[in-house]
Amino acid sequence: MLVFKRFIVWTILFSITATQFLLYLPNFSCIVSTGVPLCMAQFNFSIVGTSVITRDFIDSIREFLRLISYLALDMKWSGATNPKIYSEKNLVDTFDADNLYKVNFFGYCKKNGNNRAYCVQNADSGMDVLGVLVRDVGIQLAKLSSSPANNTKVLGDSLMLTYHLTLSSLRKFLRGDRRNSNAFSKILLGADDTNTDNERASQYGKGVEIAYALKIFNKVLFYVQVCEIASSFLCLATVIGFGLVLTFGKRHRSLPFLLKTISSILIIGATLTLLGSTFYFFSLKLLEPSHDHSQNSDWALLEVTIGSGFIICCARYLLQLFFLPIAFLTANHYSVRKNSKHDLEESSSNSLAKSEIM
């Protein structure tokens, strides 16, 4: 009967830990184009332009992408070229409003209308929106500049590395330029009014700082997620080992302590991930146009929606919160106390003393 009771306890622990570990699998659903045609994203976003500033900004980037698309196509063809290759459908369309990006911790998928263009890993950039757009430009350029298309991920990775190095160098340069009253920034931006110069240079520097902060934040969030998944696996392995010990009817001190420690680390990591993802999502919502067009911000650039992966993340977190007290109660009940031997000897001596008195 005692063995059956211990088996029931272990079954409950194993079921919960196995379920919460399997609920991490959707995080890997957006990393490859082949296989399961499903992407359970943390959030989805598309590019919109509702204000004058954002429309001008998006149009400028589209013109630049059109230019480099023509260059990529010219590099691909030799001899006489067909003018049809320069049609809009063959150009880089990263900032088109029809595109929908489904983003998760380890990768993202791009959809154009009802068709899925591709899914790819995003390395340790995680859910960085700007990183997703830069990588998309690199992947499309790789498809345009090679025939047949070679490994498009290589150019995507190269462009991401270039973007990160440029961002770090530009941030370092602008910090030094501030000590010189933004002298070079004013020349670069080319305004005549001194007050306008200072304001534009300040906004430019702020934009670089925001992009750099997004890169660092998402990199930290990515590694927290990796540590969380590792903790979840260790928790599952510890529960399996704990079940084997219970089967033989033995009490241990190390395994219960390990179970409590890993469970605590897991819930801390899950809390940080959930809070970070929620904070990031609502930060992106600030760049979303308002329903009241008169109250739109100058940088109403994105349209963001929550993804099914985030809902699964919340459900997994609730399951982990439910598991934590069960793990502590079970570990305390089946652990060997340090003074158990001393208590047993003291109890025996008291019993012996009572028998002598009687």
Side-chain angles (χ1 to χ4, degrees):
M1 183 66 182
L2 185 61
V3 175
F4 180 73
K5 178 184 175 182
R6 290 176 174 175
F7 178 76
I8 293 297
V9 171
W10 177 78
T11 302
I12 294 173
L13 286 177
F14 177 76
S15 300
I16 297 175
T17 50
T19 302
Q20 62 88 26
F21 179 71
L22 291 175
L23 286 176
Y24 284 101
L25 293 180
N27 289 357
F28 300 91
S29 62
C30 305
I31 59 176
V32 290
S33 296
T34 57
V36 181
L38 183 67
C39 178
M40 297 181 181
Q42 293 293 312
F43 63 88
N44 313 309
F45 78 92
S46 56
I47 305 296
V48 296
T50 56
S51 66
V52 176
I53 293 179
T54 52
R55 280 197 298 268
D56 292 343
F57 174 73
I58 293 173
D59 288 342
S60 299
I61 293 181
R62 282 174 179 165
E63 289 299 323
F64 174 72
L65 292 178
R66 181 177 287 108
L67 173 63
I68 61 175
S69 298
Y70 291 153
L71 293 175
L73 288 169
D74 289 339
M75 292 170 59
K76 176 180 178 180
W77 293 90
S78 59
T81 58
N82 187 350
K84 291 183 179 180
I85 67 170
Y86 297 108
S87 61
E88 288 290 331
K89 66 178 182 180
N90 290 328
L91 305 183
V92 176
D93 64 347
T94 299
F95 283 81
D96 283 6
D98 293 335
N99 293 330
L100 178 67
Y101 297 91
K102 303 170 73 69
V103 186
N104 216 321
F105 289 102
F106 300 102
Y108 70 91
C109 290
K110 177 186 176 182
K111 291 184 66 178
N112 193 316
N114 295 324
N115 301 319
R116 187 176 69 165
Y118 66 87
C119 296
V120 70
Q121 297 181 32
N122 203 26
D124 61 357
S125 296
M127 299 187 293
D128 185 6
V129 169
L130 296 178
V132 167
L133 297 176
V134 170
R135 187 179 293 277
D136 179 65
V137 172
I139 288 174
Q140 291 194 70
L141 286 177
K143 292 179 179 179
L144 293 178
S145 60
S146 57
S147 180
N150 295 320
N151 189 358
T152 55
K153 189 177 181 298
V154 174
L155 187 54
D157 291 340
S158 300
L159 206 59
M160 280 292 292
L161 178 60
T162 303
Y163 164 68
H164 287 158
L165 292 175
T166 302
L167 190 62
S168 300
S169 301
L170 193 57
R171 178 173 175 265
K172 184 178 179 181
F173 166 77
L174 290 176
R175 283 191 165 187
D177 194 43
R178 285 195 199 103
R179 291 192 288 267
N180 297 323
S181 302
N182 297 320
F184 188 82
S185 298
K186 293 175 184 178
I187 297 173
L188 186 65
L189 295 173
D192 297 327
D193 188 354
T194 304
N195 294 329
T196 305
D197 279 349
N198 291 328
E199 184 180 353
R200 291 180 64 185
S202 176
Q203 291 177 350
Y204 185 71
K206 184 179 179 181
V208 172
E209 290 292 339
I210 291 174
Y212 186 80
L214 283 176
K215 185 192 82 166
I216 298 299
F217 177 81
N218 281 284
K219 181 169 289 191
V220 171
L221 192 62
F222 171 84
Y223 284 111
V224 170
Q225 176 68 186
V226 171
C227 293
E228 181 189 340
I229 294 175
S231 300
S232 177
F233 175 76
L234 289 176
C235 187
L236 177 61
T238 304
V239 167
I240 293 174
F242 191 62
L244 293 175
V245 170
L246 288 180
T247 301
F248 292 103
K250 296 182 179 180
R251 292 172 179 258
H252 279 256
R253 186 181 305 161
S254 57
L255 274 177
F257 174 76
L258 189 62
L259 179 61
K260 291 190 289 185
T261 302
I262 295 178
S263 300
S264 301
I265 294 174
L266 175 61
I267 202 67
I268 291 172
T271 302
L272 292 175
T273 300
L274 184 61
L275 290 177
S277 300
T278 305
F279 171 77
Y280 185 53
F281 174 75
F282 283 107
S283 298
L284 294 178
K285 292 289 282 186
L286 296 176
L287 297 176
E288 195 172 55
S290 172
H291 294 293
D292 184 2
H293 295 289
S294 62
Q295 297 180 0
N296 277 343
S297 64
D298 290 339
W299 285 99
L301 186 64
L302 302 176
E303 187 172 326
V304 189
T305 57
I306 206 73
S308 57
F310 182 81
I311 298 173
I312 293 175
C313 180
C314 294
R316 183 181 65 238
Y317 182 70
L318 292 176
L319 186 63
Q320 290 166 339
L321 284 178
F322 176 71
F323 169 73
L324 185 64
I326 295 178
F328 268 74
L329 289 173
T330 306
N332 289 334
H333 182 75
Y334 289 102
S335 62
V336 176
R337 298 179 182 177
K338 292 182 179 180
N339 58 345
S340 59
K341 185 177 180 180
H342 174 73
D343 292 341
L344 183 63
E345 292 175 353
E346 185 177 0
S347 177
S348 300
S349 62
N350 289 337
S351 301
L352 183 62
K354 288 181 180 179
S355 61
E356 290 176 353
I357 292 174
M358 293 180 67

